[in-house]
Amino acid sequence: MRGGGLWQLGQSFTRRLTQADKKAVARRCFASEADLKKTVLYDFHVANGGKMVPFAGWSMPIQYKDSIMDSTVNCRENGSLFDVSHMCGLSLKGKECIPFLEKLVVADVAGLAPGTGTLTVFTNEKGGAIDDSVITKVTNEHIYLVVNAGCRDKDLAHIEEHMKAFKSKGGDVSWHIHDERSLLALQGPLAAPVLQHLMKEDLSKIYFSDFRMLDINGVPCFLTRTGYTGEDGFEISVPSEHAVDLAKAILEKSEGKVRLTGLGARDSLRLEAGLCLYGNDMEQHITPVEAGLTWAIGKRRRAEGGFLGAEVILKQIEEGPSIRRVGLFSAGPPARSHSEIQDEKGQNIGEVTSGGFSPCLKKNIAMGYVKSGLHKAGTKVKIVVRGKPYDGSVTKMPFVPTKYYKP
């Protein structure tokens, strides 16, 4: 789901990035460090040993003093605190903000109860994914959503273009981009007990995908019980002037068990959870059906359509797509993005989109797209790494069981 350009960094997430790696990434992405935006936590990251790298136009920590392997395991055993302030939060308001948004996404937004949310996909006219996003119905006249850092410019331009057309016909919708706020993600089994120390509301009554506006550490925040790791956890939108204090309070209350965690472990965690990274596992030419996200297309939306690319997507639901996203285990070196997938006879059947060594499973995992009919768990395949085919097999995802807090 959430990443944008992480493919430029995540290919080496099982080891510390060497200086050569960092220089290569910097050359590919940006002319100089001075061009990069910084979150309000930048100095805090550096002071805590964060190794900063370019990512989607921002200088972000790839890791801290511990290894990416250790950091990944600690998230699942204890907890992690991520700075995800590079991502773009925005609010849509107005009496017709829901009908407006439903023209652009596949979710049944109207069917959401106030204070709940869902993963959805912004689609184009061909049914391809412009971006994925977690959206929340705050009220019937207020939608809060977060879009990926690497997709911010195109997403905002897309929304604005359609909003102008909608408003020109008398539609009641407006928006606010929350650049005055920062975003922290607290993930792992200690997320709820630690956060409970900083707030009055009972977190045991707030479930996965629920949203609340409430005080945390004495500051008005937006709280969503969600994340990008497969663990229980929260994303906290906090006024930027209070972000560092909140991060310090969370770490202090955890007594050292929740650690600051960078984008390297974030990538390995989301891969273990079988979650898409936009730019790798989802792109403009991949539909939600092909990506295995048919469940995100509401029942009413399947019946009525009314979103961009609906004709293509609804036909795929009825007839089946020609390719499908799958999980993969493999021998040999870890598969990487663009590694070829072959059948047992050596014929090309698809391509890996994300892959690496799983710190928690201690084995190679990957996801990619294969031809329909060859997508079933247990199907034997060959995965080509550096010109040599290695044995692999299709498997169900997630690779590591999810632990979302549900009623």
Side-chain angles (χ1 to χ4, degrees):
M1 169 195 156
R2 300 173 168 190
L6 194 53
W7 62 274
Q8 295 166 332
L9 308 177
Q11 302 305 302
S12 301
F13 68 70
T14 60
R15 59 180 172 81
R16 291 177 183 270
L17 282 186
T18 65
Q19 285 305 113
D21 290 322
K22 289 182 182 176
K23 287 176 182 175
V25 170
R27 279 198 303 271
R28 268 157 60 190
C29 301
F30 304 101
S32 74
E33 189 75 17
D35 296 333
L36 300 177
K37 291 177 277 190
K38 296 175 180 177
T39 75
V40 295
L41 289 133
Y42 176 87
D43 291 338
F44 184 66
H45 297 314
V46 173
N48 283 276
K51 295 177 172 63
M52 311 304 288
V53 298
F55 173 70
W58 296 78
S59 181
M60 298 297 292
I62 186 80
Q63 69 183 97
Y64 294 84
K65 294 173 184 176
D66 53 352
S67 70
I68 292 172
M69 294 274 286
D70 289 345
S71 203
T72 301
V73 173
N74 185 69
C75 180
R76 302 221 185 277
E77 292 183 349
N78 295 299
S80 288
L81 182 64
F82 303 88
D83 176 13
V84 289
S85 305
H86 57 308
M87 297 178 67
C88 178
L90 62 138
S91 287
L92 297 173
K93 293 187 176 182
K95 292 179 181 177
E96 293 174 290
C97 66
I98 292 174
F100 166 71
L101 184 59
E102 285 196 343
K103 292 179 179 294
L104 306 183
V105 302
V106 299
D108 180 1
V109 186
L112 291 171
T116 67
T118 186
L119 176 71
T120 194
V121 179
F122 283 85
T123 50
N124 57 33
E125 287 81 357
K126 295 181 180 178
I130 293 174
D131 197 6
D132 57 345
S133 172
V134 172
I135 61 167
T136 299
K137 182 201 278 189
V138 184
T139 69
N140 286 324
E141 297 184 14
H142 180 190
I143 301 295
Y144 172 70
L145 61 152
V146 177
V147 300
N148 287 310
C151 299
R152 173 184 170 126
D153 291 347
K154 72 168 182 177
D155 286 358
L156 296 185
H158 177 71
I159 294 168
E160 185 174 33
E161 176 191 350
H162 286 273
M163 187 181 294
K164 283 180 178 176
F166 189 80
K167 292 175 77 170
S168 72
K169 296 175 183 176
D172 180 12
V173 63
S174 62
W175 67 345
H176 174 75
I177 300 162
H178 291 290
D179 285 339
E180 78 286 358
R181 305 183 75 88
S182 295
L183 194 61
L184 300 176
L186 176 59
Q187 301 283 293
L190 294 183
V194 167
L195 194 61
Q196 189 65 76
H197 287 300
L198 300 174
M199 53 189 291
K200 293 177 181 177
E201 281 77 8
D202 184 357
L203 285 175
S204 71
K205 294 180 170 63
I206 299 175
Y207 299 103
F208 179 65
S209 290
D210 283 357
F211 173 93
R212 299 286 187 275
M213 289 182 173
L214 38 71
D215 285 359
I216 302 175
N217 204 35
V219 175
C221 294
F222 304 163
L223 180 73
T224 311
R225 197 155 196 165
T226 188
Y228 192 45
T229 63
E231 297 295 316
D232 181 27
F234 305 87
E235 290 188 355
I236 308 163
S237 174
V238 56
S240 289
E241 62 270 25
H242 298 289
V244 173
D245 286 344
L246 179 56
K248 288 178 178 177
I250 289 169
L251 296 172
E252 184 181 315
K253 291 296 182 184
S254 81
E255 299 178 341
K257 291 183 178 178
V258 171
R259 297 182 199 162
L260 286 170
T261 307
L263 294 177
R266 188 167 162 85
D267 194 45
S268 57
L269 287 159
R270 70 92 194 167
L271 180 56
E272 289 180 339
L275 300 172
C276 290
L277 172 64
Y278 193 88
N280 271 40
D281 314 299
M282 291 181 72
E283 295 191 66
Q284 300 259 15
H285 62 279
I286 297 290
T287 72
V289 181
E290 293 164 344
L293 298 177
T294 303
W295 61 267
I297 306 169
K299 185 176 179 181
R300 177 177 62 83
R301 308 309 308 277
R302 297 184 202 190
E304 298 176 3
F307 51 88
L308 294 176
E311 188 176 329
V312 174
I313 290 170
L314 298 182
K315 185 178 180 182
Q316 283 189 345
I317 291 174
E318 185 178 345
E319 300 178 0
S322 59
I323 59 171
R324 296 177 188 262
R325 182 170 65 96
V326 297
L328 299 157
F329 289 131
S330 65
R336 301 299 189 190
S337 180
H338 303 304
S339 293
E340 182 184 1
I341 305 171
Q342 300 176 344
D343 63 16
E344 290 188 285
K345 297 178 181 177
Q347 298 296 310
N348 179 291
I349 59 167
E351 184 178 272
V352 170
T353 52
S354 289
F357 182 79
S358 164
C360 295
L361 298 179
K362 304 293 189 286
K363 62 197 294 187
N364 296 337
I365 60 174
M367 66 173 78
Y369 286 83
V370 299
K371 293 176 182 177
S372 284
L374 299 170
H375 64 283
K376 293 177 182 173
T379 301
K380 302 295 183 186
V381 298
K382 300 285 186 182
I383 299 179
V384 181
V385 181
R386 293 193 284 274
K388 184 177 178 181
Y390 294 90
D391 289 340
S393 62
V394 174
T395 186
K396 291 181 178 179
M397 294 185 285
F399 300 98
V400 173
T402 55
K403 298 170 187 169
Y404 303 131
Y405 181 71
K406 296 183 177 182

